[in-house]
Amino acid sequence: MKLPLRAYWDLLSRHIRPQRGRFTVLAALLLTSIGLQLVNPQIMRAFIDSALGGGELRTLTLAATAFVAIALVQQVVAVTVTYLGQSVAWTATNALRAELAEHCLGLDMSFHNAHTPGELIERIDGDVAAMADFFSQFVITLLGNLLLLVGILAAIFREDWRAGLAFTLFALVSLGLLGRLRDIAMPDEKARRKAEADMYGFIEEQLSGTEDIRANGAVAFSLRKLGILQAAIFKANYRAHYKEWLIHIVMGISLVAGNLIAIGSGYWLYQLGAVTLGTAYLFVHYMNMLELPIYSLTREM
């Protein structure tokens, strides 16, 4: 069953509400981190233009010190955001695990005859762990990188509308292309999760029936079945990683094209006298920054 993102969020939102305070702090730190990432290249642009213009050593020293200080603060903020995101997500999903376990224990025997304990453990713990990983990164990666993407494009438009238009078209084309590749990779990822659940269910059955298996001489059969299940996981993993490799290749080609756009537009505008050399550097720096939000948005969605 394919559920929209909204359904997953509704599932966890009631567990996140008790953590509103930490969630607010997390959002504030996230915005601070994005702001620092956008400001630092501006300082480097000012440093380059000042150095080329024969600026005073004191001014250059202050700019360099500010650049290093902001970079260090940004790293501290990023670590804090990651810690809070993990804490909020795991607190919420641990409550969800307890609810799922209680629900399963209350179901009738027909359900438990159809689903092995190993499968249920994998679903309650493994699948919820995947949700915890996603939601711990939801604010940090998905929302944060979306805001970073918008912030970068707005900063470039502020410098020159022609460069801003070129960067925006590049971002839209890259997101669209990677989104199509994501769609072809998702079925294999789902198959991998199912294959793992099947294997854990089988292992639990075999361990609980060890004496019967040995008494009936079925050890070889059990090992052969285990090999078949592991082969299914290997096949699904191979396909999923192959599709992920394709996405990395396309991302690499996209980044090269983006750098060519940044260098070409910066050089052209510099020749026209519309921007300084520091601003041309700014275009290249912001283009490299676009790689992370574009790839992360695709991966998380």
Side-chain angles (χ1 to χ4, degrees):
M1 180 171 60
K2 185 176 182 180
L3 296 176
L5 179 63
R6 174 74 184 183
Y8 290 103
W9 177 254
D10 290 341
L11 182 64
L12 287 177
S13 60
R14 59 196 168 106
H15 298 300
I16 293 178
R17 287 192 193 102
Q19 306 178 73
R20 284 191 296 267
R22 287 197 296 169
F23 202 81
T24 302
V25 173
L26 178 62
L29 288 174
L30 178 65
L31 292 175
T32 301
S33 177
I34 293 171
L36 292 176
Q37 289 181 70
L38 294 174
V39 166
N40 235 9
Q42 298 283 349
I43 296 175
M44 182 56 70
R45 185 265 297 274
F47 180 90
I48 293 173
D49 289 339
S50 179
L52 292 175
E56 295 181 359
L57 179 61
R58 181 174 178 275
T59 302
L60 296 175
T61 302
L62 286 175
T65 303
F67 181 87
V68 173
I70 290 176
L72 292 175
V73 171
Q74 196 275 323
Q75 290 300 316
V76 173
V77 172
V79 171
T80 306
V81 167
T82 301
Y83 172 79
L84 279 176
Q86 291 282 350
S87 178
V88 169
W90 279 93
T91 300
T93 50
N94 281 341
L96 180 60
R97 283 187 181 90
E99 288 186 7
L100 287 172
E102 183 180 5
H103 174 73
C104 288
L105 291 172
L107 295 174
D108 57 28
M109 289 306 299
S110 62
F111 173 83
H112 290 282
N113 289 332
H115 300 278
T116 64
E119 180 185 354
L120 295 179
I121 290 172
E122 170 61 15
R123 292 302 188 185
I124 292 174
D125 184 61
D127 286 357
V128 175
M131 290 183 68
D133 180 63
F134 173 76
F135 279 96
S136 67
Q137 301 298 318
F138 179 81
V139 173
I140 304 167
T141 305
L142 194 62
L143 182 57
N145 281 297
L146 180 60
L147 292 174
L148 179 60
L149 177 63
V150 173
I152 291 172
L153 295 177
I156 295 173
F157 265 110
R158 180 175 173 272
E159 300 297 334
D160 189 274
W161 68 269
R162 291 162 292 191
L165 183 61
F167 275 58
T168 301
L169 290 174
F170 163 77
L172 291 175
V173 171
S174 297
L175 284 172
L177 184 60
L178 291 171
R180 293 292 300 273
L181 289 175
R182 176 210 67 197
D183 291 338
I184 67 173
M186 285 179 65
D188 293 310
E189 183 63 23
K190 291 179 180 179
R192 182 185 68 82
R193 297 291 303 166
K194 182 180 182 305
E196 288 180 348
D198 291 342
M199 187 188 73
Y200 287 124
F202 175 78
I203 290 175
E204 188 279 331
E205 282 185 328
Q206 304 309 297
L207 291 176
S208 62
T210 301
E211 294 181 359
D212 292 335
I213 291 171
R214 288 178 175 174
N216 290 282
V219 173
F221 171 82
S222 295
L223 291 176
R224 185 164 57 252
K225 179 64 176 178
L226 179 63
I228 293 172
L229 292 173
Q230 288 178 324
I233 294 177
F234 173 79
K235 183 183 291 185
N237 258 325
Y238 174 80
R239 290 177 176 174
H241 284 297
Y242 175 72
K243 301 290 178 57
E244 186 177 349
W245 175 76
L246 286 178
I247 293 176
H248 279 288
I249 293 296
V250 173
M251 188 67 225
I253 295 173
S254 177
L255 181 61
V256 170
N259 277 317
L260 290 176
I261 292 173
I263 294 171
S265 61
Y267 176 78
W268 177 60
L269 292 171
Y270 176 73
Q271 290 295 105
L272 292 177
V275 300
T276 64
L277 190 61
T279 303
Y281 156 80
L282 193 69
F283 292 160
V284 177
H285 190 103
Y286 276 148
M287 178 58 74
N288 287 325
M289 287 177 64
L290 277 177
E291 175 191 8
L292 178 61
I294 289 175
Y295 178 72
S296 295
L297 285 170
T298 303
R299 180 181 180 276
E300 293 301 326
M301 288 301 295

